[in-house]
Amino acid sequence: MAHKYLLDGDGTDTGDPAIPLTLPLNGTGTGLWTTGVQPPTCTAPQGQSLRTGGQNVRLLDSTGSGLISTDPFTVTAWIKPETADLEPGEHFAIWYTKPGGRAFMISILDGHWAASVGTTNAPNIIGPEAEPDRWQYVGISYDGQGRANLYVDTDADQYQATGITQVQGATLGIGWGGKTWTGAIDLVSISTTYQEFKTFLAQRSACS
């Protein structure tokens, strides 16, 4: 399984292969860093997390074609929204897009977790309400056959869309969007396989 970590617990860029990001993820960016997430089995926070504070952080700017294809994939992240991220409108948490489509996007729309996959410019999966100031593990998994699931923490309810026509992305970013994103994001990962919910839960509990 090819597994690409975009932002790990100590603020470094690692992966298989490592992805050439335009932001030096070394924990030194002014105003961009805050205490990292502490997954359930960890005894302490995992280094630092990225807090955009309303900035649009583009990790790959129009050069990221092929990060994922139209085959199965899963993207997950620990996300800690702030109250401002729950205000009306869509707040982008992490996104991989190009004009006319969203290869994937995790966002908060009108206070609810949301996912976008495919030839859409708006979320096609709406999930449960997001909670401010609390780390939540969120993911999108696409099966390569037109079906995508949104997973939110330990919520076992099914949030799904079918009949999706997938697209290639070009620009990868964290934060910003239709409305400013202010919260923190940590342990972002992309894998080139489809994950069932039980696998998502197992990764949520793991300590990196």
Side-chain angles (χ1 to χ4, degrees), residues 100-112:
R102 299 177 174 185
F104 65 73
M105 181 182 291
I106 296 174
S107 61
I108 294 178
L109 176 65
D110 297 333
H112 288 254

Side-chain angles (χ1 to χ4, degrees), residues 21-189:
L21 306 180
T22 58
L23 174 72
L25 298 179
N26 58 9
T28 61
T30 302
L32 290 178
W33 301 96
T34 188
T35 302
V37 67
Q38 183 175 339
T41 59
C42 295
T43 58
Q46 299 298 283
Q48 296 178 303
S49 63
L50 182 66
R51 181 185 178 277
T52 65
Q55 298 183 57
N56 177 13
V57 180
R58 295 194 177 195
L59 304 178
L60 294 170
D61 196 352
S62 302
T63 61
S65 181
L67 178 63
I68 60 168
S69 68
T70 56
D71 296 324
F73 72 85
T74 300
V75 55
T76 61
W78 282 97
I79 306 175
K80 185 181 181 182
E82 298 179 358
T83 300
D85 302 317
L86 276 60
E87 293 177 354
E90 187 178 11
H91 304 257
F92 299 177
I94 180 167
W95 44 278
Y96 180 45
T97 65
K98 72 174 186 179
R102 299 177 174 185
F104 65 73
M105 181 182 291
I106 296 174
S107 61
I108 294 178
L109 176 65
D110 297 333
H112 288 254
W113 289 108
S116 308
V117 184
T119 52
T120 179
N121 286 310
N124 47 8
I125 309 175
I126 305 298
E129 290 185 359
E131 297 181 40
D133 303 316
R134 186 176 77 83
W135 284 107
Q136 293 156 85
Y137 192 56
V138 185
I140 300 171
S141 198
Y142 176 70
D143 70 355
Q145 304 294 318
R147 181 186 68 177
N149 295 317
L150 169 65
Y151 301 138
V152 180
D153 234 23
T154 58
D155 187 340
D157 289 345
Q158 188 173 47
Y159 306 103
Q160 186 180 98
T162 57
I164 292 169
T165 300
Q166 180 57 308
V167 297
Q168 285 278 4
T171 302
L172 175 69
I174 290 178
W176 205 57
K179 294 285 185 178
T180 298
W181 177 271
T182 61
I185 299 177
D186 204 359
L187 298 175
V188 178
S189 70

